[in-house]
Each structure stands twice: as C-alpha cells, then as structure tokens.
Amino acid sequence: MTTNSAGELHRQGRIEVVCGSMFSGKTEELIRRIKRATFARQRVIIFKPQIDNRYSEENVVSHDSNAVTSTPVSCATDILRILPSTGEADQRRYDIDVVGIDEAQFFGDDLVDVCNELADNNVRVIIAGLDMDFKGKPFGPMPGLCAIADDVMKVHAICVRCGALAYVSHRLVHDENQVLIGEKAEYEPLCRECYKKSKTQDL
Ligand code: ZN
C-alpha cells in the first residue's frame, strides 16, 4: 500500500475525477491513466453509460479514436454487480485494481455511493465526465463526485471564437433536453465571455 514517486497507488482506494467541457481531452486523460495502469500489469475495467453509443458499444473512444475496451451499463449499481469478486468481506471485496468510468455525467447520483464503495474496498476509481451541461449548470452526479474525490483535474478546450480557455459546451442546435448526444455539429466549446455573447444572440 505505498505511493511511488509518480503518485501511482498500488491497491489503495482512491477517487480521481477528470472533468471539463466537450473537446477538452477528458477521455484522452482517462485513457492515458488507464493505459499506464495496464502497463503496470494492474487489472483494469472501464464502464460507460449505455446511453452513449456515438461510436461503439464496447469501446471508450476519444475524439482522436484512441480506443480502449469498455463495458456499457444501464445504471451505476450495475458496476458493483458486474465486478469480479474476491469472495472476501473486508477491504478487498472486488478483484480489480482500477475502475475507469467514462461519460459519468449521464449516471444517476448513486454513482457517488458506488465510487465510495469501490474506494473503500481499495479500488482506484478514475472518472471522466462533463462538469456542466449546455446551460452551464452542474451535470448529474459530477458535483458530488468532485466533492468526494481525492483528486480533481479540470481540463479545458479552446474557445472556438476567441482562442481563450473554454469553460462550457455551447449547444448549436435548439433542443432543451439536458441529454443530447452530439459532436462537433451540435456543440462548440466557448469561454465565459463568448458564451455570454452567444446567449444574448440566441434570445
Ligand atoms: Zn471566447
């Protein structure tokens, strides 16, 4: 149960959140951490919500098609059901070293308890998700996950209008549903100033 100089933890519970707008490199950062754990021969599994099937049912795919295999689940508690068990009751209930969760914003608030349960059982949990929806409101379980996390990294896209750091995913199509699975045709990353301007234009 030690931390080496690179900050890697071996079989010690921990929750890491990588959050930001669309096109900020969240999934790339998740994949980077997962691959590094895989190189260290740690047992890794990645989950994503079933709702997100833009590219592939079984892969976590970033926008640059850097893919790793993942398991789609319909709700957060399915994660605990699917994980291999050690048969032991305390501390090491799950026979896995690292659990990755992509597109975490689409899960329910119960993902917070699921992540705590994993970390309490010595699993390293790495979560990637959108911090805000297209209206700039905190998205799903992300605020709760940031609160319980040992480490939070906020990554930024570049504002497509002015080149400053972006903070929100502005929706280019008129649809009021919070969940609209989309890509470059539907969303653009904007900084706070450009987002304010775009809102007055949208009215
Ligand atoms: Zn801007």
Side-chain angles (χ1 to χ4, degrees), residues 181-197:
I181 302 295
E183 260 299 320
K184 284 178 185 152
E186 290 85 13
Y187 293 98
E188 62 179 4
L190 293 183
C191 72
R192 193 178 287 273
E193 281 305 308
C194 293
Y195 182 63
K196 278 196 298 193
K197 282 182 209 156

